[in-house]
Amino acid sequence: MTEMSNIRAGQTLTALDHLHAQGYVILKHVVSQPVIDRVAAELEPWFAATPRCQGDFYGWRTTRFGSLLNKSPTSRQLILHELMLDLINAVLGPHCDHYQLNLTQAVRIHPGERQQVPHRDEEMWPCRKDGVEHLINVIWALDDFTAENGATCLWPGSQLHDLDRSIDPTEIVMAEMPRGSALVFLGSLTHCGGANRSPHPRTGLIASYCLGWLRQYENQYLAYPPAIAQTFPEALRDLIGYRIHRPNLGGYEGQDPAMLFKATQGPWPARDALSETTRREIEAYYQSQ
Ligand SMILES: O=C(O)CCC(=O)C(=O)O
Ligand SMILES: [Fe+2]
């Protein structure tokens, strides 16, 4: 390992410890101000054009939109940030063939917005989780996040208990962090957007990742259909889900969907994509016949 990757490995371990114990970790100043400036400038016309949210969950004095890989090419650096991917891989990797992008969303909480309802981002998958994390979110601060302007509210340790929306407000930790920082938290952590009592908007960028065998919150294939995805680097296409999840999940015409980006023409034979375990089990079955 190089010195750089040693530092990264150390950083990942420390951050992981905090993530497991508290349910979240704040990584300050992870990207430079010029990168954040570019992301903010690319998103600004979309904030101007997008109407306010309509709903008691999304809010009424909040603006949100998705498809950020299209709307802000610079945001790809945040979505593919190595330290975040190391953390996500450490938590989600053991429970799937590969993790995937769950959503990207820009969130602007305007002055006067009330505190969002306490919730867990894993609630849309109505199944028992049995201690297995299904998702990890990263909220990138595009503004300084403060207690006044709507910093995300967190209930440390809540991931160890069942969801309780009437959770004690005195136990809130506000994710205060400077612009360019990242809040990483588990899908099982109770949290919510904070009330904005300041005269200025608070803007964040959510990059959410989930187990590769789950339905994604944001429909990634509509956000990035093949004609768009083919302009993306392979790492991004894989993350979106243009990649078979072994064994044989999410294929297209019996193929790994990555086939779409190769110059071969169908029809093709349906081709197994098996995990090593399944492959060995099948082999043993036929040998025993
Ligand atoms: O913007 C935030 O601080 C958090 C928003 C949130 O938790 C959500 O919309 O699920
Ligand atoms: Fe949330």
Side-chain angles (χ1 to χ4, degrees), residues 57 64 107 116 119 121 139 152 191 193 202:
F57 180 76
R64 296 173 189 254
V107 183
Q116 196 184 23
H119 65 276
D121 288 331
I139 303 190
T152 313
H191 69 281
R202 186 232 74 179

Side-chain angles (χ1 to χ4, degrees), residues 23-262:
Y24 74 94
V25 62
I26 293 175
L27 300 158
K28 291 194 175 156
H29 299 298
V30 201
V31 291
S32 69
Q33 295 301 310
V35 170
I36 294 294
D37 286 347
R38 273 210 303 282
V39 173
E42 289 163 356
L43 294 179
E44 206 45 48
W46 296 94
F47 275 117
T50 307
R52 302 257 169 125
C53 301
Q54 298 181 359
D56 285 338
F57 180 76
Y58 280 147
W60 298 92
R61 290 182 183 162
T62 297
T63 309
R64 296 173 189 254
F65 53 85
S67 305
L68 300 188
L69 299 175
N70 293 334
K71 294 174 181 169
S72 167
T74 309
S75 76
R76 297 173 196 176
Q77 289 182 42
L78 308 185
I79 313 297
L80 290 172
H81 194 285
E82 283 187 337
L83 178 54
M84 308 306 145
L85 297 188
D86 283 352
L87 285 173
I88 287 146
N89 194 37
V91 178
L92 301 182
H95 304 289
C96 54
D97 187 35
H98 55 85
Y99 61 85
Q100 62 184 347
L101 196 60
N102 184 47
L103 69 87
T104 60
Q105 192 178 81
V107 183
R108 175 165 288 171
I109 301 182
H110 298 276
E113 179 62 289
R114 64 185 175 183
Q115 183 203 291
Q116 196 184 23
V117 64
H119 65 276
R120 294 178 178 187
D121 288 331
E122 64 182 18
E123 284 180 58
M124 67 269 187
W125 299 303
C127 59
R128 286 170 56 96
K129 308 296 188 302
D130 287 330
V132 172
E133 287 305 325
H134 283 41
L135 114 91
I136 297 200
N137 271 357
V138 180
I139 303 190
W140 290 93
L142 302 188
D143 291 317
D144 291 340
F145 276 31
T146 69
E148 290 73 40
N149 77 359
T152 313
C153 302
L154 311 166
W155 278 267
S158 56
Q159 78 278 9
L160 305 171
H161 311 286
D162 288 342
L163 171 64
D164 173 10
R165 286 191 217 285
S166 59
I167 196 161
D168 189 344
T170 64
E171 288 171 7
I172 289 178
V173 166
M174 302 273 194
E176 292 189 282
M177 54 181 172
R179 187 176 194 258
S181 307
L183 160 68
V184 184
F185 62 100
L186 303 175
S188 56
L189 184 78
T190 307
H191 69 281
C192 59
N196 189 345
R197 299 187 192 88
S198 84
H200 305 291
R202 186 232 74 179
T203 306
L205 184 157
I206 305 181
S208 177
Y209 309 80
C210 67
L211 298 176
W213 43 265
L214 285 166
R215 176 159 171 78
Q216 291 144 307
Y217 188 96
E218 178 186 38
N219 189 318
Q220 299 297 308
Y221 308 99
L222 294 180
Y224 316 110
I228 289 181
Q230 75 172 356
T231 67
F232 291 173
E234 195 177 348
L236 215 45
R237 293 202 300 250
D238 283 353
L239 198 57
I240 292 166
Y242 284 99
R243 177 181 181 188
I244 199 119
H245 188 284
R246 297 174 303 165
N248 288 344
L249 179 66
Y252 173 69
E253 294 288 2
Q255 306 300 307
D256 185 325
M259 177 68 96
L260 286 169
F261 308 113
K262 299 192 177 127

